[in-house]
């Protein structure tokens, strides 16, 4: 029998990631806009975030099936934590490509966590 608290833990992990992901994008947007980055540069950063999310959605189900949903959930959470730590390291000015890389990793983390959380919640729902 599975742990009865597992769905609650998964929901908390997913909602925490969602909040930190939204906060990361807003802080990044306001900070780099205040530094004078162009709207096009900032749009490229967000396009990278979304593109990486699309790729993960295409292969994430197979990855979760192969590795296990709990493993991909943990990978997503650890990747998001790494992005948050990387963005917190003080630097005078990040290059646009560094921001794009970090936002791409955040997009991967979000969608890995989303796919894993949804598949785990469906497993628990089907057990009821």
């Amino acid at each position: 029998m599975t742990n009865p608290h597992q769905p609650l833990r998964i929901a908390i992990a997913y909602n925490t990631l969602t909040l930190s992901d939204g906060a990361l994008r807003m802080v990044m947007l306001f900070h780099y806009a205040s530094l004078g980055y162009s709207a096009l540069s900032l749009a490229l950063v967000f396009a990278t975030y979304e593109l990486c999310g699309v790729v993960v959605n295409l292969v994430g189900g197979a990855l979760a099936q192969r590795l296990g949903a709990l493993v991909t959930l943990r990978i997503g959470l650890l990747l998001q934590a790494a992005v948050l730590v990387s963005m917190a390291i003080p630097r005078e000015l990040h290059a646009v490509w560094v921001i794009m890389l970090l936002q791409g990793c955040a997009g991967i983390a979000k969608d890995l966590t989303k796919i894993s959380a949804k598949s785990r919640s469906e497993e628990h729902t089907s057990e009821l």
Side-chain angles (χ1 to χ4, degrees):
M1 181 168 184
T2 61
N3 183 351
H5 300 291
Q6 191 73 18
L8 180 62
R9 290 180 182 160
I10 292 168
I12 289 170
Y14 177 66
N15 287 321
T16 301
L17 182 121
T18 301
L19 287 172
S20 68
D21 184 60
L24 173 68
R25 287 191 285 152
M26 292 308 294
V27 167
M28 188 276 314
L29 175 68
F30 291 142
H31 176 69
Y32 289 102
S34 72
L35 291 176
Y37 279 80
S38 69
L40 181 61
S41 296
L42 293 172
L44 286 173
V45 169
F46 287 112
T48 304
Y49 173 90
E50 295 300 332
L51 181 65
C52 288
V54 167
V55 171
V56 169
N57 278 314
L58 290 173
V59 298
L63 187 64
Q65 184 179 11
R66 179 172 291 234
L67 297 176
L70 202 52
V71 172
T72 54
L73 177 72
R74 289 178 180 152
I75 291 170
L77 293 172
L78 289 173
L79 186 57
Q80 180 72 5
V83 169
L84 290 170
V85 168
S86 297
M87 291 294 284
I89 295 171
R91 293 192 180 111
E92 288 298 315
L93 197 63
H94 284 286
V96 174
W97 70 269
V98 173
I99 303 165
M100 289 174 70
L101 177 71
L102 290 172
Q103 286 297 307
C105 290
I108 292 168
K110 180 197 64 130
D111 285 320
L112 271 179
T113 305
K114 178 180 70 172
I115 289 169
S116 303
K118 287 182 178 181
S119 67
R120 294 293 295 175
S121 67
E122 287 173 7
E123 288 174 15
H124 289 286
T125 304
S126 65
E127 291 174 2
L128 299 176

